[in-house]
Amino acid sequence: IIFLLGIYDDIKGANVFLKFFFQIMAAVIIYGAGFKIAEISIPFAGTKTIGFHLLPFLLTILWVVGITNAVNIMDGLDGLAVGIAFFATLSLGVLALLSSQYHIVIITAVLSGAMIGFYPFNFPRARVYLGDSGSMVIGFILAVLPMTKIHRKASLALALMIPIIILFLPILETLVTIIRRIYKGQNIFIRDTDHFHYRFLRKGFSETKTTVFLILVSFLFSLAGILFEFVQVKLRLLLFIGIFLMSLFLLIYLGYINLKPKKRGQPPF
C-alpha cells in the first residue's frame, strides 16, 4: 500500500488527504496483524501498561504514520534520508542481534544492504532519487520494525523510548515543523523551505556538508539509543542530558530558538 501510494505520488502527485488515508489504512492493517503499542516506557519509572483499550490503537496509528512522514520530510537533500535511515536500521539490527532475534537481523541486513548499494548514486550530486515511493517505504519499515521483539525484555515499540531516541532527528524535525507552522498560522501540510537542511544551506553550508553533518547527528542519536538499552539508570540520565543539549544547540544554531532580546512583534522562529 505504502509503495503504491509513493509511486502514485511520484508520478501524478497525491494530496495530503489521500496520503494520510492510505497511510492510516496501512497502519490499521499492521495493528490488526498484532503489531501495536500496548505499553509506554516512562524514563526512570519503568514500563506502564496502557489500560484504555482504544489508546494502543491510536498510539500505533500515530507512531506508524508519524515516522513514515518524518523520514519523508528528511528527504529534502540528496543522500540525507537514506543516510539517516541507514544508521537507524543498523541500530535496530544491532539490538536484534544482541537479543538473538535473527529474523529481524535478516530484515535489517537486507534493508541496510539495499541502502548501501543505492547510496553512491544518491549522494550529492545524485543521479538516482529516493522519491516518496522510497522514503515512505523506508519510514514505514522503520516504524514497524521496533514493534517486533528485538528488545531484551519486551518489544522496543512497547517501551517506545529506544526507537524514539534512534529516530530522534526526523522526529525533532517533524515536531519543529508542526510547531513553527502553527505559530505562524501556516497550513502544516504545505511544504516550505524552512527545514533543518534548508537553514544549513542558507548559512553557507554546501549540500554535501549539510548532508554529512545531519547524518552524523543522526548517528549519534542512534548510538545513544543502543547505549540506552544496556547502561545503568545514572548513565541513562547522562544520555538524556546529552540528547537534550545536542538538540538545543542545533535549534539555537539554526535560529529556531533565539536567545537574543527580540523586538516587539518579532516571532521566535
Side-chain angles (χ1 to χ4, degrees), residues 16-240:
V16 65
F17 300 105
L18 186 65
K19 283 185 178 181
F20 274 111
F21 175 78
F22 283 104
Q23 288 171 357
I24 292 173
M25 181 186 297
V28 170
I29 293 173
I30 288 297
Y31 181 86
F35 298 91
K36 58 186 177 181
I37 299 172
E39 296 176 340
I40 295 180
S41 176
I42 302 174
F44 315 111
T47 301
K48 306 298 181 182
T49 301
I50 302 174
F52 184 49
H53 295 298
L54 183 61
L55 193 54
F57 173 77
L58 296 176
L59 285 176
T60 302
I61 301 300
L62 179 63
W63 172 258
V64 173
V65 173
I67 296 301
T68 299
N69 286 288
V71 174
N72 188 37
I73 286 175
M74 301 305 296
D75 190 29
L77 288 182
D78 296 341
L80 181 57
V82 177
I84 291 172
F86 171 76
F87 284 113
T89 304
L90 193 64
S91 300
L92 295 176
V94 169
L95 290 172
L97 180 63
L98 296 175
S99 301
S100 301
Q101 301 293 325
Y102 299 116
H103 60 295
I104 304 301
V105 174
I106 293 174
I107 296 174
T108 55
V110 170
L111 182 58
S112 298
M115 287 189 283
I116 289 175
F118 177 79
Y119 202 63
F121 303 98
N122 186 240
F123 193 76
R125 300 276 184 177
R127 288 169 286 170
V128 181
Y129 300 96
L130 198 59
D132 280 4
S133 58
S135 61
M136 285 199 298
V137 167
I138 292 174
F140 184 79
I141 294 174
L142 288 175
V144 175
L145 272 180
M147 296 189 199
T148 55
K149 293 182 179 179
I150 58 179
H151 190 276
R152 290 184 299 172
K153 297 179 181 179
S155 163
L156 274 179
L158 295 180
L160 265 185
M161 186 55 61
I162 292 175
I164 286 176
I165 294 174
I166 290 174
L167 294 164
F168 193 68
L169 182 61
I171 291 174
L172 180 65
E173 165 76 273
T174 302
L175 292 176
V176 169
T177 298
I178 292 173
I179 294 172
R180 170 173 54 80
R181 291 175 181 174
I182 290 175
Y183 185 87
K184 292 183 177 181
Q186 300 172 341
N187 189 327
I188 64 173
F189 301 115
I190 296 179
R191 295 181 179 181
D192 58 25
T193 57
D194 209 19
H195 295 294
F196 288 177
H197 44 277
Y198 290 122
R199 291 208 174 194
F200 271 111
L201 294 177
R202 287 198 289 270
K203 282 185 171 290
F205 283 71
S206 66
E207 287 191 21
T208 301
K209 288 182 179 179
T210 299
T211 298
V212 170
F213 180 80
L214 288 175
I215 289 174
L216 176 61
V217 172
S218 182
F219 166 75
L220 294 176
F221 284 137
S222 296
L223 182 61
I226 295 176
L227 293 175
F228 190 86
E229 162 69 352
F230 298 101
V231 299
Q232 298 177 351
V233 173
K234 292 182 179 180
L235 293 179
R236 287 182 177 181
L237 178 59
L238 291 178
L239 284 176
F240 271 117

